[in-house]
Amino acid sequence: MQPDGAPIPLENDNRPPFDRFRAGKKTLSVTDLVSGVWCEQQFKYSLERGFKRPTPAMKKGTKLHKVLEEQVHTTVQVEISTKEDQWGLKLFNMCQGLLCLRHGGLTRELSVFGFFNGYFIQGSIDEISYTNPGTHVAAKAPPTVASGETSDSDSDGGVLLPIDLTSPSPPPSTPEHELTVYVSDTKTRSSQTVPRGSQLRATILQLMLYHHLLSGLHAGDVDFTKILENFDLDGSKNFSDNLLAQIASLDSEISLEELLEKNSLWGLWGILQRKLRETINTIGNTLAVSYRSQKYGDIMETKTFEYDEALLTKHLNHTLDWWQGKRPTVGVEIEEAWKCGKCEFEPTCTWRLAKIEELKQAMEAKKKTKRKRSESPRKQKKP
């Protein structure tokens, strides 16, 4: 019998994945909702272990993304005292990201969030710009990534500071009535090839989900009261003096007077809603992913595709069924068994071993059928 409060052994834990792995955080990330596209069984193993072991390619990709982010803004460290401060910093950074977009025509790592079927979902959009990726050829200028480069900045505890606030608002090439923004992502590749076919599916769904979350925020469809309840936040509580003093000293279109007047989560939420309306008229349905070489930093290829609400909804419902424990974990099918060769869990993967056993049994059954046919008596032809 299991003692009260004792951890449940891994093999005996039959709770739904959300209760096992995300109940404490009260949220699902965009990554949580698309990682299973590659292989749900692999994703489950990573969750059970508690982390995904970073590969050298992943580390290089993180460095390159940091270089791209720092081309748009820098991160200034800020101390926070309460959970309301933490969320206040999140909302303020979103306002700063929109400021980058408004003045420079582009922003990176913009936080987005919302609800789907009662679950709070959040993510960070790699790039939003006023440039339609379907009509624009990306620049080939490579960012420089020094070998062994590391970064001490932490976006969870810092304020995004735009690099340049001197440009007119909006950018000269973007008339006031044409503030259409486009969502895109950058992926890095250790090889000189880019993904094709089914390998693109996770990225496509990721970008569609970003589009969906940004659209909900822009339309005012996100119920902030539910967010406060979900994270047990006091929407009327004043921010700490320390937080106000730090962010008031930074370059921002939010004055100290406005910060003092809107000194709460509800106040900052109202400012964010206004900034969204001022910066964005519409959200374009053309989405794009650019593949950069980790070795050279240049863009090898940019793929574009259109937002598909029906496809996204179908995927989210299917994935949430798994998170809710309504269906079993599904690994790769035989046609994509090549993925197993790249998986660290391959030797002990129960899905893979079961599929091998199924294949053996099918081959044995086929042999038996063939043997019976060869042993059956042949009828003589009548003269």
Side-chain angles (χ1 to χ4, degrees):
M1 185 174 178
Q2 190 75 17
D4 291 340
I8 303 173
L10 199 62
E11 62 274 12
N12 297 334
D13 195 341
N14 296 317
R15 292 175 297 164
F18 183 83
D19 293 341
R20 292 180 64 186
F21 308 117
R22 293 293 182 262
K25 295 182 177 181
K26 302 180 180 180
T27 180
L28 288 169
S29 69
V30 171
T31 301
D32 286 335
L33 295 173
V34 300
S35 291
V37 172
W38 175 262
C39 176
E40 211 168 64
Q41 185 68 64
Q42 182 193 63
F43 181 52
K44 183 184 178 184
Y45 283 143
S46 296
L47 290 171
E48 289 176 340
R49 187 173 62 185
F51 65 92
K52 184 175 182 178
R53 185 174 286 113
T55 64
M58 290 168 61
K59 292 177 180 178
K60 288 180 181 178
T62 299
K63 292 175 184 177
L64 196 145
H65 270 86
K66 190 62 181 176
V67 171
L68 292 173
E69 183 182 356
E70 289 176 347
Q71 291 175 354
V72 178
H73 51 65
T74 57
T75 303
V76 179
Q77 292 301 301
V78 171
E79 294 180 8
I80 54 177
S81 305
T82 66
K83 55 186 178 182
E84 284 78 16
D85 278 2
Q86 187 173 18
W87 258 89
L89 183 61
K90 185 186 193 75
L91 299 181
F92 183 80
N93 272 337
M94 292 173 72
C95 292
Q96 290 291 88
L98 292 171
L99 178 61
C100 289
L101 176 61
R102 181 78 170 173
H103 285 270
L106 176 148
T107 192
R108 294 187 184 277
E109 302 303 329
L110 184 76
S111 293
V112 286
F113 48 78
F115 290 91
F116 187 87
N117 288 358
Y119 287 90
F120 181 78
I121 301 168
Q122 62 181 348
S124 182
I125 301 177
D126 183 59
E127 181 180 313
I128 302 175
S129 77
Y130 291 125
T131 303
N132 186 339
T135 59
H136 173 68
V137 178
K140 291 281 185 177
T144 302
V145 183
S147 177
E149 176 186 354
T150 58
S151 173
D152 294 326
S153 63
D154 182 357
S155 59
D156 290 334
V159 167
L160 303 182
L161 190 62
I163 294 294
D164 182 13
L165 297 181
T166 61
S167 301
S169 174
S173 60
T174 310
E176 188 77 30
H177 65 283
E178 294 181 4
L179 298 178
T180 300
V181 298
Y182 298 89
V183 175
S184 60
D185 195 13
T186 298
K187 302 292 185 184
T188 61
R189 300 286 291 173
S190 56
S191 68
Q192 291 303 107
T193 60
V194 298
R196 307 282 178 186
S198 63
Q199 297 181 64
L200 272 174
R201 183 172 171 80
T203 299
I204 291 172
L205 290 166
Q206 176 188 20
L207 284 165
M208 287 185 181
L209 186 46
Y210 286 149
H211 183 290
H212 174 80
L213 294 173
L214 180 61
S215 297
L217 285 167
H218 180 254
D221 293 337
V222 178
D223 188 344
F224 197 60
T225 300
K226 286 179 63 177
I227 293 177
L228 297 176
E229 293 172 352
N230 193 64
F231 295 100
D232 192 25
L233 298 166
D234 184 346
S236 301
K237 181 179 179 179
N238 288 347
F239 300 121
S240 66
D241 292 341
N242 188 40
L243 177 65
L244 285 178
Q246 290 177 92
I247 63 178
S249 65
L250 303 172
D251 287 329
S252 171
E253 289 185 339
I254 306 175
S255 66
L256 176 59
E257 291 74 21
E258 187 173 17
L259 280 173
L260 292 173
E261 181 185 350
K262 307 289 186 180
N263 185 12
S264 68
L265 286 175
W266 273 118
L268 263 185
W269 177 249
I271 294 175
L272 175 61
Q273 293 294 298
R274 188 183 78 238
K275 296 295 183 184
L276 282 164
R277 292 191 298 270
E278 292 174 352
T279 310
I280 301 172
N281 276 350
T282 57
I283 301 169
N285 284 334
T286 300
L287 308 170
V289 55
S290 295
Y291 291 96
R292 282 186 179 268
S293 166
Q294 289 184 358
K295 185 175 182 180
Y296 303 108
D298 62 320
I299 296 176
M300 299 186 294
E301 187 175 338
T302 296
K303 294 180 178 293
T304 60
F305 45 92
E306 295 299 303
Y307 177 72
D308 187 331
E309 183 79 23
L311 176 65
L312 176 64
T313 300
K314 181 180 179 181
H315 167 74
L316 290 177
N317 286 330
H318 180 72
T319 301
L320 286 176
D321 279 348
W322 179 79
W323 279 103
Q324 294 169 333
K326 294 181 179 179
R327 63 172 181 82
T329 305
V330 177
V332 299
E333 295 301 330
I334 192 68
E335 295 80 11
E336 294 189 331
W338 55 268
K339 293 180 179 179
C340 299
K342 301 182 178 183
C343 180
E344 61 180 306
F345 303 110
E346 178 190 17
T348 57
C349 175
T350 55
W351 174 271
R352 175 178 168 274
L353 295 174
K355 285 295 178 182
I356 291 174
E357 187 60 32
E358 285 179 16
L359 186 60
K360 286 181 179 178
Q361 292 178 6
M363 292 176 67
E364 285 296 325
K366 190 174 181 180
K367 287 180 181 178
K368 287 180 180 179
T369 302
K370 189 175 181 180
R371 196 179 302 122
K372 286 181 179 179
R373 287 177 180 173
S374 63
E375 293 174 353
S376 59
R378 297 179 181 178
K379 293 182 179 180
Q380 292 184 346
K381 292 183 179 180
K382 293 182 180 181

